[in-house]
Amino acid sequence: MMLHIIKTQKQLHAGAIVDFQLLLLRKVKEAEKAIFRTKAIIQKLRLEKANDRPTKERSKEISKLIPVFEEKLEDYKYIIYIWKMYGESIAFIFCDKYAIKHFLYDEKYHVKQTAGFVSGKEGLKTELMFLKEAGKNNVPAVLCDLTNTLRHGDVCLLGRNDPYPIEIKTAESDNYKLDKRGERQLKNIGELNSFFVKDEADNFRGMGPVVRHEHIGKERYHLQALNECIERSYKEGTSHVSPEAGIHYLAITKFKQGAFEEVAGKYIHMINLNEYKRAMNWHPYTPFHLSLEPQHLYKFINGNLSIVVLLDLQVIKRRFKKNGMHITFLQDEHWYAQISATGKIADGGFRISMQSFLRLAFEFQSLTWAIKQHKRHLKMFMEEKDKPGRAMEIPPDWFTATDPIPA
């Protein structure tokens, strides 16, 4: 409910956002302490088995206990992940999600390693002072350590469309000098801020030139259809809705035999959102905390509610063709599909990343809206491709890309 208030009360003072994060910080620290305790128990059991020559019965008991506590460890990690999804929801409320995703990667476009535990972190006290000062001045801000996606900087200011990361260093003397790690952190933050200001870069994380274009029109989602489907599942056990051609949602509180038979189609991509949630692989998509109505949230977190998204690739292909585009679905780790103007990539086209396309599932994005954006991007690409200095060498595998899905 606190998150819902932050999301809906437009005139809410930023001090309330600070109070919310102080609560989250306590919850994260509690789970971290539980991890420390559980690891100590596991270590004690292993030492007992290795050094104390326990009886055969005790040895069997220890062998059964260790996996139980290891499972508890994963449960506590999951709890921390969920709390941090609350934290990064703050960033998604105030800032552009397409800007937020850039905070997940390092300078080589690899997923940046997390900072680790908050408990005992040197400099946390100073970061909190900065956060509270931002709150006093009614500037929304978030502690990066209370998120799963914001992995650059210690505190992000959220007063504008793009997050503004700040690296906070504590110096004990006037002669304080950054080490190489600190210099690299500031360099990466500087490149991020420069890209956000200029909307382009000659070299951005090893790629370039890179240009950032805004989407046209307000982004559309099917959140009302989703939440109504969930509400019906409490009575029906399994509920199904298709908000538009090619997209289906299943909400399951009690599985009903034959539920998937309601979705007729030979080329269906099924995405069980619970699997990604439990595997802690939801980021950098918009947290489901902002998609689900508050009364449904806990049921989804604890597994009493399952949400399955089914994409009918044949229907989607036909919809792209109707809008003057040819789409080829790829069996690739990074690329979901290839879009071209004529069906021949040499005539002009581009690829859609796995992350971009699956926003249809994780964010319940409107396919109609997405198709309009891709059509606009293709038009821009075709207008730009023949200009001097815009030539791009097409990778050989793009020419041979095919799929078995008929249009």
Side-chain angles (χ1 to χ4, degrees):
M1 291 309 299
M2 291 175 71
L3 179 62
H4 184 69
I5 290 169
I6 293 172
K7 178 184 174 182
T8 56
Q9 300 295 322
K10 301 302 181 184
Q11 301 302 317
L12 188 70
H13 194 276
I17 300 170
V18 175
D19 292 339
F20 182 53
Q21 289 178 76
L22 294 177
L23 171 62
L24 292 177
L25 183 60
R26 289 199 299 273
K27 294 296 185 182
V28 169
K29 284 184 173 182
E30 286 173 8
E32 287 178 349
K33 287 178 182 177
I35 287 177
F36 291 136
R37 290 195 302 268
T38 306
K39 282 185 174 180
I41 292 171
I42 293 172
Q43 180 67 9
K44 186 177 179 181
L45 289 170
R46 285 176 174 161
L47 288 173
E48 180 184 349
K49 187 175 181 180
N51 301 328
D52 293 354
R53 295 183 180 180
T55 63
K56 189 176 181 179
E57 289 74 17
R58 176 58 180 167
S59 183
K60 285 183 179 180
E61 184 183 10
I62 292 172
S63 297
K64 290 180 180 179
L65 283 172
I66 288 176
V68 171
F69 284 106
E70 287 177 336
E71 188 174 338
K72 280 184 176 291
L73 274 181
E74 295 305 309
D75 289 341
Y76 289 128
K77 290 176 184 176
Y78 172 69
I79 289 169
I80 291 173
Y81 186 80
I82 295 297
W83 285 129
K84 288 187 176 184
M85 286 187 81
Y86 276 98
E88 71 182 9
S89 292
I90 300 169
F92 278 86
I93 288 171
F94 288 93
C95 295
D96 177 53
K97 67 183 182 184
Y98 298 101
I100 292 173
K101 75 171 185 179
H102 287 294
F103 285 76
L104 183 64
Y105 305 102
D106 63 18
E107 66 274 13
K108 296 180 179 178
Y109 243 127
H110 299 144
V111 174
K112 193 175 184 291
Q113 189 174 358
T114 59
F117 283 178
V118 178
S119 302
K121 181 188 176 184
E122 184 180 355
L124 178 61
K125 186 176 180 181
T126 309
E127 293 171 22
L128 287 171
M129 287 173 59
F130 192 96
L131 180 72
K132 291 175 182 178
E133 192 63 28
K136 287 178 184 178
N137 287 278
N138 203 26
V139 177
V142 65
L143 280 179
C144 294
D145 283 343
L146 290 181
T147 75
N148 297 306
T149 302
L150 299 177
R151 300 186 182 184
H152 289 273
D154 296 310
V155 176
C156 261
L157 302 181
L158 311 173
R160 296 188 177 181
N161 195 52
D162 297 325
Y164 189 85
I166 296 175
E167 188 78 24
I168 298 173
K169 299 295 182 185
T170 53
E172 296 182 0
S173 69
D174 295 335
N175 298 321
Y176 176 79
K177 185 178 179 181
L178 287 173
D179 57 15
K180 289 185 178 180
R181 179 173 176 270
E183 289 176 353
R184 187 172 66 251
Q185 288 172 333
L186 290 181
K187 179 176 179 289
N188 291 337
I189 288 175
E191 289 177 352
L192 262 179
N193 286 334
S194 175
F195 178 62
F196 290 149
V197 170
K198 298 177 181 178
D199 288 328
E200 62 180 10
D202 292 330
N203 189 315
F204 185 65
R205 292 170 172 166
M207 301 173 64
V210 177
V211 179
R212 186 168 69 145
H213 290 287
E214 66 177 339
H215 291 300
I216 296 298
K218 186 178 180 181
E219 192 162 349
R220 301 295 178 183
Y221 307 92
H222 295 303
L223 301 186
Q224 182 177 346
L226 168 72
N227 283 284
E228 288 175 354
C229 183
I230 293 171
E231 192 69 40
R232 288 196 303 273
S233 75
Y234 299 151
K235 294 180 179 179
E236 301 172 7
T238 300
S239 181
H240 164 246
V241 66
S242 178
E244 61 177 314
I247 294 181
H248 303 263
Y249 304 147
L250 282 177
I252 305 167
T253 52
K254 185 178 180 182
F255 185 72
K256 182 173 65 177
Q257 289 295 328
F260 292 102
E261 294 174 8
E262 295 181 27
V263 183
K266 187 178 178 182
Y267 302 96
I268 301 292
H269 182 181
M270 184 174 74
I271 302 127
N272 185 340
L273 297 184
N274 293 62
E275 292 178 0
Y276 288 86
K277 174 204 64 175
R278 186 65 210 192
M280 297 175 280
N281 284 330
W282 197 281
H283 59 287
Y285 300 108
T286 300
F288 55 80
H289 301 55
L290 299 177
S291 300
L292 304 186
E293 291 178 0
Q295 66 268 29
H296 306 320
L297 190 56
Y298 183 63
K299 289 182 176 67
F300 186 61
I301 289 172
N302 69 14
N304 288 337
L305 164 67
S306 296
I307 302 173
V308 179
V309 178
L310 299 108
L311 304 178
D312 190 324
L313 301 186
Q314 186 174 30
V315 172
I316 292 173
K317 175 170 278 198
R318 288 171 178 168
R319 291 189 62 184
F320 268 85
K321 188 174 182 180
K322 188 177 179 181
N323 281 272
M325 294 177 284
H326 294 258
I327 184 168
T328 301
F329 293 102
L330 307 171
Q331 300 292 325
D332 188 279
E333 181 183 356
H334 303 291
W335 302 107
Y336 196 93
Q338 182 169 296
I339 294 177
S340 60
T342 64
K344 297 178 181 179
I345 197 66
D347 294 333
F350 54 87
R351 284 192 168 186
I352 310 172
S353 70
M354 185 72 70
Q355 182 189 109
S356 177
F357 200 85
L358 288 183
R359 291 187 186 277
L360 292 172
F362 288 91
E363 298 179 353
F364 314 99
Q365 188 185 69
S366 163
L367 177 61
T368 299
W369 179 87
I371 288 175
K372 286 181 180 178
Q373 299 304 313
H374 292 313
K375 189 173 183 177
R376 172 178 170 265
H377 294 157
L378 184 60
K379 182 182 178 183
M380 289 173 55
F381 183 86
M382 298 300 288
E383 290 172 351
E384 294 281 327
K385 75 180 184 75
D386 294 326
K387 291 183 179 180
R390 295 290 185 178
M392 184 188 86
E393 184 178 346
I394 302 174
D397 61 314
W398 286 35
F399 291 100
T400 57
T402 59
D403 67 31
I405 305 171

